[in-house]
Amino acid sequence: MKPPASIRPAIDDCHPTPSVAHIFLRHLLLQTPMYFIRWIYALIYSLYLLFVLRAPTDSDIIGYIENTTLTMLVCPSNSGEPDEYEWKVADCKLSTTDGHELKNISLSYKKTKGDVRLLQFSRNGSEIEDRCQIFSTLFFYHAVSLHTKSHLFSNSLVRYIVDNRIETLRESTYTSIPLHHGLLHSDRSSLQSEGTVSNCLGYGFPCGKACVMAESLNMSAIVGHQTKRRWTSHGLDGFTGKLFRSRQALRDVMARHELGEKLLEPLFNHTIVHSVDHQSGVQRTCFRFSLHPWHTGCTALQAFNTNMFRVLLCSPTLNPLAPNTIRSINKPFYQDLYLELQKIDSEMADWVTASVMY
């Protein structure tokens, strides 16, 4: 078979073809057992969290936006006030499994030294005041739309590395394709709304796989937000500022190791953006809210479902014997990248995995 000439966005290109069969076997032996172990931990920890979690505040909502890929959509307010910002999505193609459609979202906030205040939030043109519903809506959009885009090129990138025998990046082929195959086709997936397994086990998500695949290709929200000015608008030490610097570091390391520049964007999302967005996001979502954006209030069962989903699907699930973090890989390319990322943020460097592992 002729190796692929390009890397394309194809989150559904995840079937176990002969060239990647060894990756599925590795995933089965090293990663799959961790899901069962993690579920037992998640069950106990999620029950504990029911007694300690609180509802999100304005500061929590803005902190979540500014420390995940959601912050890519933040821009200065049209009001002209220097401390006011806007965040909006005008064309969204998401829907819940019970028929609610998420078409657009907008919010504005004021941030001064020592004070953060949400000024306005609307969903589908209707104003919402409930902070739990606001947080649920942002979490829903982030999980299914913006974060999913960091997965978009992974399958094609893995196949490209395997078929072109790029030994330097062998560790960047692990788990990604089997992970996506499980999410889209396993009856235990949280996205399998037709089945009941994930709901019975406590981690069901109110969105189906068809919706995820459709929205993953919807790039309308990020048009105009990919310039250097936007990435560094909150400073070089802000979330997107660090990502921008990390991309530059990856580009330089790739050049030193003679890797083609066409791999830059796929590899940047596959390694750095994906893992950093997970880790930073999970640190800022430990609150009492429902996974369903249209739920009012938050019952104990809804909070438990959210806790289970966060622990199982948002928190890193890695085999401690084979974590595949770039820190743990004793190969020149990954060690070189790790040292460069440490100069930007040592904690962030420890988070980065060589592939989409969770």
Side-chain angles (χ1 to χ4, degrees):
M1 180 182 293
K2 185 179 179 181
S6 62
I7 299 167
R8 57 192 179 85
I11 200 169
D12 57 337
D13 180 21
C14 55
H15 294 286
T17 53
S19 65
V20 295
H22 63 288
I23 299 173
F24 277 78
L25 179 60
R26 184 188 186 280
H27 178 79
L28 177 66
L29 295 176
L30 293 178
Q31 196 66 16
T32 302
M34 297 306 302
Y35 299 139
F36 296 100
I37 296 170
R38 188 78 173 181
W39 183 85
I40 297 170
Y41 164 75
L43 181 66
I44 298 169
Y45 186 50
S46 296
L47 288 170
Y48 160 74
L49 288 176
L50 290 177
F51 298 97
V52 298
L53 292 186
R54 58 172 175 80
T57 64
D58 286 10
S59 179
D60 299 325
I61 292 168
I62 305 310
Y64 177 45
I65 290 174
E66 291 190 344
N67 290 281
T68 61
T69 48
L70 289 171
T71 196
M72 292 170 60
L73 308 185
V74 173
C75 58
S77 173
N78 288 328
S79 68
E81 293 293 327
D83 299 324
E84 292 186 8
Y85 301 90
E86 294 178 350
W87 183 97
K88 63 177 65 176
V89 177
D91 175 31
C92 186
K93 304 181 186 305
L94 292 176
S95 60
T96 63
T97 50
D98 58 357
H100 289 91
E101 293 186 349
L102 183 57
K103 298 178 180 179
N104 55 73
I105 324 168
S106 70
L107 68 81
S108 60
Y109 65 95
K110 186 178 183 67
K111 185 176 182 181
T112 57
K113 190 173 182 179
D115 181 50
V116 179
R117 183 160 51 93
L118 189 64
L119 301 176
Q120 169 272 339
F121 182 92
S122 68
R123 181 180 64 199
N124 297 346
S126 300
E127 297 281 333
I128 296 175
E129 296 287 341
D130 186 321
R131 270 39 183 175
C132 288
Q133 260 199 22
I134 292 172
F135 201 91
S136 295
T137 304
L138 291 170
F139 183 86
F140 185 78
Y141 178 77
H142 179 222
V144 185
S145 183
L146 276 187
H147 177 77
T148 300
K149 289 173 175 53
S150 70
H151 289 248
L152 203 53
F153 289 90
S154 292
N155 297 338
S156 186
L157 174 64
V158 168
R159 293 188 189 279
Y160 184 91
I161 294 170
V162 170
D163 294 342
N164 288 277
R165 296 183 173 86
I166 306 176
E167 181 60 25
T168 302
L169 297 176
R170 179 163 57 89
E171 284 75 9
S172 291
T173 64
Y174 296 160
T175 287
S176 308
I177 294 180
L179 175 75
H180 292 147
H181 186 268
L183 284 171
L184 296 180
H185 301 291
S186 170
D187 60 1
R188 296 183 299 276
S189 171
S190 61
L191 301 178
Q192 290 293 347
S193 57
E194 303 86 1
T196 58
V197 176
S198 62
N199 286 328
C200 289
L201 293 177
Y203 57 90
F205 193 70
C207 186
K209 63 180 182 181
C211 175
V212 171
M213 289 193 295
E215 177 62 22
S216 70
L217 296 171
N218 178 17
M219 301 296 177
S220 60
I222 62 176
V223 172
H225 290 269
Q226 296 167 296
T227 64
K228 177 181 178 180
R229 181 176 62 83
R230 283 291 173 86
W231 280 77
T232 59
S233 60
H234 287 274
L236 290 174
D237 289 323
F239 182 81
T240 49
K242 288 179 181 179
L243 285 182
F244 178 78
R245 293 158 63 196
S246 298
R247 182 185 178 280
Q248 292 179 310
L250 175 61
R251 181 195 60 198
D252 295 343
V253 172
M254 288 176 63
R256 289 199 290 269
H257 292 267
E258 300 181 339
L259 293 169
E261 192 165 340
K262 76 175 183 178
L263 299 180
L264 176 58
E265 289 303 330
L267 198 60
F268 174 55
N269 283 280
H270 183 63
T271 57
I272 297 170
V273 176
H274 172 264
S275 50
V276 170
D277 198 35
H278 259 282
Q279 284 274 18
S280 188
V282 80
Q283 290 179 351
R284 291 166 176 82
T285 55
C286 198
F287 305 109
R288 190 183 182 97
F289 66 99
S290 173
L291 289 177
H292 196 302
W294 273 264
H295 283 164
T296 54
C298 183
T299 67
L301 182 59
Q302 291 165 356
F304 175 75
N305 180 205
T306 301
N307 295 339
M308 288 289 288
F309 184 87
R310 283 184 59 259
V311 177
L312 284 172
L313 281 92
C314 300
S315 299
T317 299
L318 298 171
N319 187 324
L321 301 178
N324 210 34
T325 56
I326 61 171
R327 177 186 181 183
S328 68
I329 302 170
N330 190 25
K331 288 180 66 172
F333 171 76
Y334 296 108
Q335 284 300 301
D336 194 359
L337 178 59
Y338 176 64
L339 291 174
E340 292 296 329
L341 295 182
Q342 275 197 313
K343 297 175 185 176
I344 299 169
D345 187 315
S346 58
E347 183 181 26
M348 183 188 77
D350 289 343
W351 294 343
V352 175
T353 54
S355 62
V356 170
M357 292 293 293
Y358 43 84

Short mmCIF file of all heavy atoms in Angstrom, two decimals, residues 48-80:
data_model
loop_
_atom_site.label_atom_id
_atom_site.label_comp_id
_atom_site.label_asym_id
_atom_site.label_seq_id
_atom_site.Cartn_x
_atom_site.Cartn_y
_atom_site.Cartn_z
N TYR A 48 -17.39 10.59 47.25
CA TYR A 48 -16.80 11.54 48.21
C TYR A 48 -17.04 12.97 47.76
O TYR A 48 -17.39 13.85 48.58
CB TYR A 48 -15.30 11.25 48.35
CG TYR A 48 -14.51 12.41 48.90
CD1 TYR A 48 -14.57 12.75 50.25
CD2 TYR A 48 -13.71 13.20 48.05
CE1 TYR A 48 -13.86 13.84 50.74
CE2 TYR A 48 -13.00 14.27 48.54
CZ TYR A 48 -13.08 14.60 49.89
OH TYR A 48 -12.38 15.67 50.38
N LEU A 49 -16.86 13.25 46.46
CA LEU A 49 -16.99 14.62 45.95
C LEU A 49 -18.40 15.19 46.15
O LEU A 49 -18.56 16.41 46.24
CB LEU A 49 -16.64 14.66 44.46
CG LEU A 49 -15.16 14.48 44.10
CD1 LEU A 49 -14.98 14.44 42.58
CD2 LEU A 49 -14.31 15.60 44.70
N LEU A 50 -19.41 14.33 46.22
CA LEU A 50 -20.77 14.81 46.44
C LEU A 50 -20.90 15.63 47.72
O LEU A 50 -21.76 16.52 47.82
CB LEU A 50 -21.74 13.63 46.50
CG LEU A 50 -22.01 12.87 45.19
CD1 LEU A 50 -22.95 11.70 45.45
CD2 LEU A 50 -22.61 13.80 44.15
N PHE A 51 -20.05 15.35 48.69
CA PHE A 51 -20.15 16.01 49.99
C PHE A 51 -19.29 17.28 50.09
O PHE A 51 -19.41 18.03 51.05
CB PHE A 51 -19.73 15.04 51.11
CG PHE A 51 -20.61 13.83 51.19
CD1 PHE A 51 -20.24 12.64 50.57
CD2 PHE A 51 -21.83 13.87 51.87
CE1 PHE A 51 -21.05 11.52 50.65
CE2 PHE A 51 -22.64 12.76 51.95
CZ PHE A 51 -22.26 11.58 51.33
N VAL A 52 -18.42 17.52 49.11
CA VAL A 52 -17.48 18.64 49.25
C VAL A 52 -17.57 19.66 48.13
O VAL A 52 -17.08 20.78 48.29
CB VAL A 52 -16.02 18.12 49.35
CG1 VAL A 52 -15.85 17.25 50.58
CG2 VAL A 52 -15.61 17.37 48.09
N LEU A 53 -18.18 19.31 47.00
CA LEU A 53 -18.20 20.24 45.87
C LEU A 53 -19.22 21.36 46.06
O LEU A 53 -20.27 21.16 46.67
CB LEU A 53 -18.49 19.50 44.57
CG LEU A 53 -17.42 18.53 44.07
CD1 LEU A 53 -17.79 18.00 42.70
CD2 LEU A 53 -16.05 19.21 44.01
N ARG A 54 -18.93 22.51 45.49
CA ARG A 54 -19.84 23.66 45.53
C ARG A 54 -20.16 24.07 44.10
O ARG A 54 -19.52 23.64 43.14
CB ARG A 54 -19.18 24.81 46.27
CG ARG A 54 -17.85 25.24 45.65
CD ARG A 54 -17.31 26.52 46.27
NE ARG A 54 -15.99 26.85 45.75
CZ ARG A 54 -15.75 27.44 44.58
NH1 ARG A 54 -16.78 27.75 43.79
NH2 ARG A 54 -14.53 27.72 44.19
N ALA A 55 -21.15 24.94 43.97
CA ALA A 55 -21.52 25.47 42.66
C ALA A 55 -20.45 26.45 42.17
O ALA A 55 -19.78 27.10 42.98
CB ALA A 55 -22.87 26.17 42.73
N PRO A 56 -20.25 26.58 40.87
CA PRO A 56 -19.24 27.51 40.34
C PRO A 56 -19.64 28.97 40.51
O PRO A 56 -20.83 29.31 40.48
CB PRO A 56 -19.16 27.14 38.85
CG PRO A 56 -20.48 26.51 38.54
CD PRO A 56 -20.91 25.81 39.79
N THR A 57 -18.66 29.82 40.69
CA THR A 57 -18.86 31.27 40.80
C THR A 57 -18.43 31.95 39.50
O THR A 57 -17.90 31.29 38.59
CB THR A 57 -18.04 31.84 41.96
OG1 THR A 57 -16.63 31.64 41.65
CG2 THR A 57 -18.35 31.12 43.27
N ASP A 58 -18.61 33.27 39.44
CA ASP A 58 -18.15 34.02 38.27
C ASP A 58 -16.65 33.81 38.04
O ASP A 58 -16.20 33.63 36.91
CB ASP A 58 -18.42 35.51 38.45
CG ASP A 58 -19.90 35.86 38.29
OD1 ASP A 58 -20.72 34.92 38.23
OD2 ASP A 58 -20.23 37.06 38.22
N SER A 59 -15.88 33.86 39.12
CA SER A 59 -14.43 33.69 39.01
C SER A 59 -14.09 32.30 38.46
O SER A 59 -13.15 32.16 37.65
CB SER A 59 -13.78 33.88 40.39
OG SER A 59 -12.39 33.69 40.31
N ASP A 60 -14.83 31.27 38.88
CA ASP A 60 -14.59 29.91 38.40
C ASP A 60 -14.90 29.80 36.91
O ASP A 60 -14.17 29.13 36.16
CB ASP A 60 -15.46 28.91 39.17
CG ASP A 60 -15.15 28.89 40.65
OD1 ASP A 60 -13.97 29.06 41.02
OD2 ASP A 60 -16.10 28.72 41.46
N ILE A 61 -15.99 30.41 36.49
CA ILE A 61 -16.39 30.36 35.08
C ILE A 61 -15.33 31.02 34.20
O ILE A 61 -14.90 30.44 33.18
CB ILE A 61 -17.76 31.06 34.88
CG1 ILE A 61 -18.87 30.24 35.56
CG2 ILE A 61 -18.08 31.24 33.40
CD1 ILE A 61 -20.20 30.97 35.68
N ILE A 62 -14.88 32.21 34.57
CA ILE A 62 -13.88 32.91 33.77
C ILE A 62 -12.52 32.21 33.85
O ILE A 62 -11.78 32.14 32.87
CB ILE A 62 -13.74 34.38 34.22
CG1 ILE A 62 -15.12 35.07 34.17
CG2 ILE A 62 -12.74 35.11 33.35
CD1 ILE A 62 -15.87 34.90 32.87
N GLY A 63 -12.21 31.65 35.02
CA GLY A 63 -10.97 30.89 35.15
C GLY A 63 -10.94 29.68 34.24
O GLY A 63 -9.90 29.34 33.66
N TYR A 64 -12.08 29.01 34.09
CA TYR A 64 -12.19 27.86 33.20
C TYR A 64 -11.99 28.31 31.75
O TYR A 64 -11.26 27.66 30.98
CB TYR A 64 -13.57 27.22 33.38
CG TYR A 64 -13.87 26.05 32.46
CD1 TYR A 64 -12.94 25.04 32.24
CD2 TYR A 64 -15.12 25.94 31.83
CE1 TYR A 64 -13.23 23.97 31.41
CE2 TYR A 64 -15.42 24.87 31.01
CZ TYR A 64 -14.47 23.89 30.80
OH TYR A 64 -14.76 22.83 29.97
N ILE A 65 -12.60 29.42 31.37
CA ILE A 65 -12.45 29.92 30.00
C ILE A 65 -11.00 30.29 29.71
O ILE A 65 -10.43 29.89 28.68
CB ILE A 65 -13.36 31.15 29.76
CG1 ILE A 65 -14.84 30.72 29.74
CG2 ILE A 65 -13.00 31.86 28.46
CD1 ILE A 65 -15.81 31.89 29.67
N GLU A 66 -10.37 31.03 30.61
CA GLU A 66 -9.05 31.58 30.33
C GLU A 66 -7.92 30.57 30.48
O GLU A 66 -6.78 30.88 30.11
CB GLU A 66 -8.79 32.79 31.25
CG GLU A 66 -9.66 33.99 30.92
CD GLU A 66 -9.23 35.25 31.64
OE1 GLU A 66 -8.45 35.12 32.62
OE2 GLU A 66 -9.67 36.35 31.24
N ASN A 67 -8.21 29.37 30.98
CA ASN A 67 -7.16 28.38 31.18
C ASN A 67 -7.42 27.08 30.43
O ASN A 67 -6.89 26.03 30.79
CB ASN A 67 -6.99 28.11 32.67
CG ASN A 67 -6.38 29.28 33.40
OD1 ASN A 67 -5.17 29.51 33.35
ND2 ASN A 67 -7.22 30.07 34.06
N THR A 68 -8.23 27.17 29.38
CA THR A 68 -8.44 26.04 28.46
C THR A 68 -8.47 26.61 27.05
O THR A 68 -8.34 27.82 26.86
CB THR A 68 -9.77 25.32 28.75
OG1 THR A 68 -10.86 26.24 28.56
CG2 THR A 68 -9.81 24.77 30.17
N THR A 69 -8.68 25.75 26.07
CA THR A 69 -8.75 26.22 24.68
C THR A 69 -9.95 27.13 24.44
O THR A 69 -10.03 27.78 23.40
CB THR A 69 -8.80 25.04 23.70
OG1 THR A 69 -9.79 24.08 24.15
CG2 THR A 69 -7.45 24.35 23.61
N LEU A 70 -10.88 27.22 25.38
CA LEU A 70 -11.97 28.19 25.27
C LEU A 70 -11.45 29.61 25.14
O LEU A 70 -12.08 30.48 24.53
CB LEU A 70 -12.90 28.09 26.49
CG LEU A 70 -13.78 26.85 26.61
CD1 LEU A 70 -14.46 26.81 27.98
CD2 LEU A 70 -14.83 26.80 25.50
N THR A 71 -10.29 29.87 25.72
CA THR A 71 -9.75 31.23 25.72
C THR A 71 -9.33 31.71 24.34
O THR A 71 -9.12 32.90 24.12
CB THR A 71 -8.56 31.34 26.71
OG1 THR A 71 -8.30 32.72 26.97
CG2 THR A 71 -7.31 30.69 26.15
N MET A 72 -9.24 30.77 23.37
CA MET A 72 -8.94 31.16 22.00
C MET A 72 -9.99 32.11 21.44
O MET A 72 -9.72 32.88 20.52
CB MET A 72 -8.85 29.92 21.11
CG MET A 72 -7.67 29.02 21.39
SD MET A 72 -7.81 27.46 20.51
CE MET A 72 -7.86 28.02 18.81
N LEU A 73 -11.21 32.06 21.98
CA LEU A 73 -12.31 32.86 21.45
C LEU A 73 -12.54 34.16 22.22
O LEU A 73 -13.47 34.89 21.93
CB LEU A 73 -13.61 32.03 21.46
CG LEU A 73 -13.54 30.65 20.79
CD1 LEU A 73 -14.92 30.01 20.77
CD2 LEU A 73 -13.00 30.77 19.37
N VAL A 74 -11.71 34.44 23.21
CA VAL A 74 -11.84 35.68 23.98
C VAL A 74 -11.27 36.84 23.17
O VAL A 74 -10.21 36.74 22.55
CB VAL A 74 -11.09 35.57 25.32
CG1 VAL A 74 -11.08 36.91 26.05
CG2 VAL A 74 -11.74 34.51 26.21
N CYS A 75 -11.98 37.95 23.18
CA CYS A 75 -11.47 39.16 22.52
C CYS A 75 -11.92 40.39 23.31
O CYS A 75 -12.87 40.30 24.11
CB CYS A 75 -11.96 39.24 21.07
SG CYS A 75 -13.74 39.24 20.87
N PRO A 76 -11.28 41.53 23.13
CA PRO A 76 -11.68 42.74 23.85
C PRO A 76 -13.12 43.11 23.53
O PRO A 76 -13.61 42.91 22.42
CB PRO A 76 -10.70 43.80 23.32
CG PRO A 76 -9.53 43.02 22.83
CD PRO A 76 -10.08 41.74 22.31
N SER A 77 -13.82 43.67 24.51
CA SER A 77 -15.22 44.03 24.35
C SER A 77 -15.39 45.19 23.39
O SER A 77 -14.55 46.09 23.32
CB SER A 77 -15.82 44.40 25.71
OG SER A 77 -17.12 44.91 25.56
N ASN A 78 -16.49 45.16 22.65
CA ASN A 78 -16.83 46.27 21.75
C ASN A 78 -17.20 47.54 22.50
O ASN A 78 -17.33 48.61 21.91
CB ASN A 78 -17.98 45.87 20.83
CG ASN A 78 -17.55 44.86 19.78
OD1 ASN A 78 -16.41 44.88 19.33
ND2 ASN A 78 -18.45 43.98 19.39
N SER A 79 -17.38 47.41 23.82
CA SER A 79 -17.74 48.58 24.63
C SER A 79 -16.60 49.59 24.71
O SER A 79 -16.81 50.75 25.04
CB SER A 79 -18.13 48.15 26.05
OG SER A 79 -17.00 47.64 26.74
N GLY A 80 -15.39 49.11 24.43
CA GLY A 80 -14.23 49.99 24.51
C GLY A 80 -13.61 50.07 25.88
O GLY A 80 -12.55 50.67 26.06
#
